[in-house]
Amino acid sequence: MNIVITGNPGCGKTTVCEKVIRRLEEGGIRCGGILCPEVKENGRRVGTNAVDVMTREERIMAMLKNKAEFDGIEVGRYSLNRKGIEFGKDAIENAMNCNVIVIDEIGPVELSNDGMIDAAVKALDSENSVIVIVRSKLKKKFLEGFKDREFIVFDVSEENRKSLPEEISRRIENGN
């Protein structure tokens, strides 16, 4: 089963996914892959970390260009950490023996055939359930790029973000 969690920046996509993982793991379902929670300073987003779902290890994934202390790939106002991308690829590839693989998030770098796209394709080609987080503005392009696969799409909003973790978890647990 392939699931896409989508929504606008800051709507709670990663938080929904974290809750899904927690619920699945409590039920004995092995989860792996990568989560990318925001890094904030004084309440403002300045970047994202990469967190390995299995080991809980963290690396910097992206920072505002003026705050980045690494040579990265420039995307808008951010610089993507090459070491963070490699860390993310490894986390996804190491999750192939899990029941559920999480990929947070497929962005413009991945859609341009860079970043973690190879690991994402490998996960999507596996028999595992895969949860992919994609921003709303990239959802159409992502789905068109993987039109040979079926996805259940969940759009996160303020109204449904509290109920989605249970719904998504239930679908994965029941296999539908």
Side-chain angles (χ1 to χ4, degrees):
M1 170 179 308
N2 295 320
I3 293 173
V4 171
I5 298 175
T6 188
N8 293 322
C11 73
K13 298 179 296 293
T14 299
T15 301
V16 166
C17 199
E18 288 171 331
K19 290 177 180 180
V20 169
I21 292 166
R22 191 174 316 119
R23 180 181 165 116
L24 292 172
E25 288 178 337
E26 287 171 358
I29 295 174
R30 285 187 49 136
C31 299
I34 187 166
L35 284 170
C36 294
E38 292 182 342
V39 174
K40 292 187 175 186
E41 284 182 6
N42 301 319
R44 297 187 65 190
R45 179 184 173 157
V46 296
T48 57
N49 277 339
V51 179
D52 184 316
V53 172
M54 285 193 305
T55 67
R56 304 305 197 244
E57 287 181 70
E58 286 188 46
R59 299 285 189 283
I60 295 171
M61 179 62 82
M63 288 300 248
L64 288 171
K65 289 178 195 171
N66 64 340
K67 295 205 173 274
E69 297 179 4
F70 51 82
D71 176 38
I73 301 167
E74 292 190 9
V75 179
R77 303 178 316 148
Y78 292 90
S79 183
L80 293 178
N81 184 359
R82 294 175 199 280
K83 290 181 181 177
I85 292 170
E86 289 304 315
F87 175 79
K89 286 179 187 179
D90 290 345
I92 295 166
E93 290 179 9
N94 291 336
M96 292 300 162
N97 64 346
C98 293
N99 306 97
V100 178
I101 302 171
V102 177
I103 304 168
D104 181 10
E105 79 184 51
I106 298 293
V109 172
E110 285 74 28
L111 292 176
S112 67
N113 293 320
D114 204 351
M116 298 182 292
I117 196 65
D118 292 339
V121 169
K122 187 174 178 182
L124 289 165
D125 285 343
S126 74
E127 296 295 318
N128 310 37
S129 291
V130 179
I131 300 172
V132 181
I133 296 178
V134 182
R135 287 191 182 175
S136 289
K137 70 179 183 177
L138 298 174
K139 177 176 75 172
K140 182 179 177 185
K141 186 173 182 178
F142 172 78
L143 293 173
E144 286 173 356
F146 290 97
K147 60 183 165 212
D148 59 327
R149 294 169 177 87
E150 289 186 34
F151 291 93
I152 301 169
V153 179
F154 294 92
D155 290 296
V156 179
S157 67
E158 193 171 322
E159 294 78 32
N160 70 4
R161 65 181 171 207
K162 288 184 180 175
S163 63
L164 279 181
E166 183 178 338
E167 182 178 351
I168 295 168
S169 301
R170 190 172 16 85
R171 290 230 186 178
I172 292 171
E173 291 164 344
N174 295 333
N176 60 14

